[in-house]
Amino acid sequence: MTQPSALTPAVSETGDPLLLTPGPLTTSRTVKAAMMHDWGSRDARFISINHAVLAQLAEIVHGEGAYVTVPVQGSGSFAVEAMLTSFVPRAGKVLLLINGAYGLRAKRMLDIAGRETVVYASAEDTPPDLAQVEALLRQTPSITHVFAVHCETTSGILNPVAEIGALAAKYKKSFLLDAMSAFGAVPLNAPALQADAVTASSNKCLEGVPGLSFVVCRREALAATQGNATTLVLDLLDQWRNFESTGQYRFTPPTHVIAALHQALDEFAAEGGVEGRGGRYRNNCRILIEGMTALGFEPLLKDGLQAPIIVTFRMPKHPRFDFQHFYDGLKTRGFVIYPGKLTVAESFRIGCIGRIHETEMRGLIAAVHDVLKEMEITGVADAVRS
Ligand SMILES: *Cc1c(COP(=O)(O)O)cnc(C)c1O
């Protein structure tokens, strides 16, 4: 593939613009093609596909044996809400480690469910201070659960989940993790973290299509959630029991989405699993940061904090830099980026995940250069930052 110019926009294998966003993402042609069938929910082939998918999802976080995957129909937030409302009992109290929109969303879910919370918030570009987390755990024995976000997609920051998990275990708290945007790309070992539940979805680093979310649950912890649920549809234990007894979903499964995820997991394994997928994303991320930095853009996060998932760039202060023009110019060239939603700085985001390789990333940098020229921002570095 040659580098795209304004006349030949970059496209996915099916001719669509490339989605450099937090999701949904660009998927392969073969993943989309896997949806060209109509299965009944009781079809033996569908049941076996679903069974294989659930087993593979648990294996990605080394959960085989002690953990089970409970799927939840819907986007990732459905599984987060299912996890929080199924695992936290009425008398529970959750320590929430918040440094972005997804942590805040978890807080809203618990508020609505009437569950007590203790919030430890840090700035969007700052991981939690572990000494302060430990102090909170020591001082507040009534805390029953700790909730953290692995990669906070709001900024792209990687939170120190191994250390947080170790603290939760030390103080005998149940650890619940939103690993949505890192699952499959950043190594995660649920038993080593002593996590009771880890949640993610079909359409981020697994490169499936949106519509299925899931919670990898420690079997014993899940069994102990009887009576906690606040809704019928998000009751993980009830959902799980139905699988145990019938192999089927309680309510209409997104059959096409699950078939696509099955294909996506085959492609994930063929790429070398977490190592291969994570390696491609790290390379994408490196090309993105190097290329953008050379053009004068400034990433929000320091190197050691950046997950290879999505990169936040500070909004340039150059008088001729117009974000709408920038966004539209990239869209015309086949690249869809994402506005920022930070409170610490004006920003925009560019994703490294989905069916995107080195060629497309280099094409993006060429397109950024092109759009800057269109805005008559000719120089690099200082011209943009000034
Ligand atoms: C994407 C994401 C979610 C779920 O968002 P949906 O829009 O409901 O899919 C939750 N947490 C994190 C960290 C995410 O990146």
Side-chain angles (χ1 to χ4, degrees):
M1 197 198 269
T2 53
Q3 289 200 336
S5 73
L7 297 175
T8 54
V11 290
S12 74
E13 291 168 29
T14 44
D16 306 305
L18 300 172
L19 302 175
L20 306 181
T21 68
L25 301 162
T26 300
T27 58
S28 69
R29 175 186 286 278
T30 36
V31 163
K32 288 185 275 284
M35 293 187 285
M36 296 296 282
H37 296 280
D38 302 312
W39 292 271
S41 57
R42 292 162 178 245
D43 183 299
R45 174 72 187 137
F46 168 70
I47 289 176
S48 93
I49 285 176
N50 182 64
H51 191 80
V53 164
L54 300 186
Q56 287 173 65
L57 292 173
E59 284 167 19
I60 291 171
V61 290
H62 307 277
E64 55 277 15
Y67 288 75
V68 295
T69 308
V70 186
V72 180
Q73 298 98 319
S75 84
S77 300
F78 287 69
V80 177
E81 191 152 9
M83 173 175 77
L84 292 171
T85 55
S86 295
F87 276 86
V88 182
R90 277 163 184 74
K93 184 187 279 190
V94 186
L95 171 61
L96 293 162
L97 306 184
I98 301 180
N99 53 0
Y102 293 101
L104 285 170
R105 187 178 298 174
K107 160 83 174 139
R108 283 192 67 199
M109 289 166 176
L110 289 164
D111 286 348
I112 290 169
R115 300 295 189 255
E116 269 199 81
T117 56
V118 175
V119 170
Y120 173 88
S122 52
E124 290 148 332
D125 55 0
T126 310
D129 179 315
L130 295 165
Q132 289 192 41
V133 172
E134 175 151 23
L136 273 169
L137 287 170
R138 201 180 322 106
Q139 290 155 15
T140 325
S142 54
I143 289 171
T144 53
H145 295 69
V146 177
F147 169 88
V149 180
H150 195 181
C151 167
E152 206 357 307
T153 324
T154 311
S155 65
I157 196 171
L158 194 61
N159 282 314
V161 291
E163 291 81 356
I164 296 166
L167 282 176
K170 179 174 173 190
Y171 290 88
K172 302 196 164 36
K173 312 303 182 192
S174 168
F175 184 35
L176 309 176
L177 181 63
D178 172 354
M180 203 69 56
S181 63
F183 194 98
V186 180
L188 190 68
N189 188 317
L193 285 181
Q194 301 185 53
D196 276 348
V198 174
T199 178
S201 74
S202 54
N203 69 278
K204 293 199 178 180
C205 304
L206 298 174
E207 300 186 2
V209 303
L212 190 79
S213 55
F214 56 88
V215 188
V216 180
C217 306
R218 195 165 61 81
R219 213 181 264 276
E220 283 175 17
L222 177 65
T225 64
Q226 174 74 38
N228 291 350
T230 56
T231 63
L232 172 65
V233 295
L234 297 179
D235 184 345
L236 292 176
L237 184 58
D238 198 51
Q239 178 92 321
W240 175 244
R241 286 202 173 132
N242 211 66
F243 278 115
E244 291 279 76
S245 55
T246 70
Q248 290 171 22
Y249 284 75
R250 293 174 300 166
F251 314 122
T252 305
T255 47
H256 301 74
V257 173
I258 293 161
L261 182 57
H262 185 242
Q263 172 66 27
L265 287 169
D266 279 355
E267 295 176 15
F268 172 76
E271 194 175 3
V274 174
E275 205 181 310
R277 179 74 36 105
R280 172 158 59 86
Y281 291 169
R282 281 193 299 278
N283 193 43
N284 287 348
C285 186
R286 180 185 58 77
I287 293 167
L288 175 64
I289 290 178
E290 283 176 8
M292 292 294 283
T293 306
L295 290 172
F297 291 91
E298 193 186 344
L300 175 81
L301 297 172
K302 293 190 196 72
D303 249 7
L305 297 177
Q306 177 71 59
I309 306 296
I310 192 165
V311 180
T312 300
F313 294 97
R314 291 181 189 276
M315 196 65 83
K317 294 204 172 69
H318 193 284
R320 281 198 301 278
F321 186 88
D322 173 47
F323 182 70
Q324 194 61 48
H325 185 155
F326 185 66
Y327 180 92
D328 293 341
L330 290 177
K331 176 80 195 293
T332 308
R333 289 162 178 81
F335 300 96
V336 179
I337 65 164
Y338 216 67
K341 41 173 179 185
L342 291 187
T343 53
V344 293
E346 252 207 289
S347 62
F348 62 89
R349 288 178 285 175
I350 303 183
C352 321
I353 61 178
R355 206 74 201 145
I356 307 284
H357 299 79
E358 179 160 349
T359 313
E360 290 84 15
M361 266 357 247
R362 295 201 187 284
L364 166 77
I365 299 299
V368 169
H369 196 180
D370 215 30
V371 178
L372 286 181
K373 274 200 291 200
E374 215 173 68
M375 289 191 281
E376 295 180 14
I377 300 175
T378 46
V380 287
D382 302 337
V384 179
R385 215 181 276 143
S386 67

